[in-house]
Amino acid sequence: EVQLVQSGAEVKKPGESLRISCKGSGYTFTTYWISWVRQMPGKGLEWMGRIDPSDSYTKYSPSFQGPVTISADKSISTAYLQWNSLEDSDTAMYYCARLSPPDSYSGSPRYFDYWGQGTLVTVSS
Amino acid sequence: QSALTQPASVSGSPGQSITISCTGTSDDVGRYRYVSWYQHHPGKAPKLMIYDVTNRPSGVSTRFSGSKSGNTASLTLSGLQAEDEADYYCSSFTSSNTYVFGTGTKVTVL
């Protein structure tokens, strides 16, 4: 059974650093890209970026290029989302999601087939 | 990359059919057949309901169907049931090799 299990809720102060995790199991971790998705309170889903765990190549949404870092450790089948300096506006639920196998025409995955349970990050002074 | 446009809310009575639209541009929805739909109950992980515009994953009810015309994709829920009450999001691959979600639609079963 494919599972993505995320780390627990975090409460942090502005300016602090944070790394949350997403551990994959039930499949070959390096075969599928992992994405991170943000949901701010009362708002919709936003795609942040993705990583290919086989070579750690990343692609970010222009809206998230810079403020966050996506990484992966394939030896432990885990992807990460990291902040060096949190802001109040980072308060949100964060989901990791596995991207589907690539399409033979475009070479790119087309949809998110499995999701983690979410990690709630609260930033408050 | 702007979010795809969805109606904020759609409602229907049990047994009725409703349709949720998802409007993008020629750089996303209009360019590829890589539109997917997700059901999201608050506090739970989103669930894939439709992929590649029209395809249902194994285990998803046949009451859910998808379509696309030009820059607008649609999700239709037939035979509406109380358990269908949730938020629904569309998503598309884009010409920038990124992904974009819709603004989300709250479905209410009256």
Side-chain angles (χ1 to χ4, degrees):
Chain A
E1 178 193 8
V2 173
Q3 283 193 313
L4 296 174
V5 179
Q6 298 184 227
S7 50
E10 301 273 1
V11 179
K12 292 288 190 179
K13 291 181 167 47
E16 291 185 332
S17 62
L18 175 65
R19 188 177 76 169
I20 61 175
S21 65
C22 168
K23 183 174 176 61
S25 63
Y27 72 100
T28 303
F29 187 69
T30 52
T31 303
Y32 298 85
W33 299 354
I34 293 286
S35 271
W36 286 95
V37 176
R38 181 177 79 175
Q39 185 175 36
M40 298 177 74
K43 303 296 185 182
L45 304 177
E46 300 173 272
W47 185 76
M48 301 176 71
R50 62 89 174 161
I51 187 165
D52 180 346
S54 69
D55 60 10
S56 288
Y57 178 82
T58 54
K59 176 80 171 178
Y60 293 89
S61 161
S63 301
F64 293 94
Q65 181 87 47
V68 297
T69 301
I70 296 172
S71 61
D73 184 341
K74 61 185 179 183
S75 69
I76 55 172
S77 301
T78 300
Y80 301 98
L81 180 65
Q82 180 176 334
W83 295 261
N84 289 332
S85 181
L86 286 160
E87 301 178 358
D88 289 349
S89 58
D90 292 317
T91 294
M93 180 72 85
Y94 292 88
Y95 295 97
C96 64
R98 193 184 82 164
L99 277 159
S100 68
D103 174 69
S104 58
Y105 173 74
S106 68
S108 293
R110 299 107 63 202
Y111 54 89
F112 308 93
D113 56 3
Y114 289 91
W115 294 69
Q117 83 277 17
T119 296
L120 180 62
V121 174
T122 303
V123 184
S124 175
S125 52
Chain B
Q1 181 75 54
S2 298
L4 308 176
T5 301
Q6 298 180 229
S9 62
V10 174
S11 61
S13 299
Q16 286 188 328
S17 293
I18 61 170
T19 297
I20 302 168
S21 62
C22 168
T23 301
T25 70
S26 57
D27 287 327
D28 39 65
V29 175
R31 176 171 293 215
Y32 306 99
R33 285 190 63 82
Y34 302 155
V35 177
S36 50
W37 289 88
Y38 303 86
Q39 179 188 67
H40 190 203
H41 289 103
K44 293 194 171 183
K47 177 184 176 183
L48 176 67
M49 305 303 284
I50 295 286
Y51 68 94
D52 294 351
V53 177
T54 60
N55 296 327
R56 274 185 311 275
S58 174
V60 171
S61 171
T62 56
R63 298 186 298 104
F64 291 83
S65 61
S67 63
K68 190 187 85 159
S69 178
N71 294 341
T72 298
S74 298
L75 174 70
T76 297
L77 284 68
S78 305
L80 203 59
Q81 298 180 2
E83 67 202 49
D84 299 333
E85 192 161 287
D87 297 322
Y88 291 83
Y89 294 89
C90 60
S91 178
S92 176
F93 181 68
T94 82
S95 60
S96 301
N97 291 327
T98 61
Y99 301 84
V100 61
F101 284 99
T103 49
T105 298
K106 182 176 181 59
V107 168
T108 301
V109 181
L110 302 172

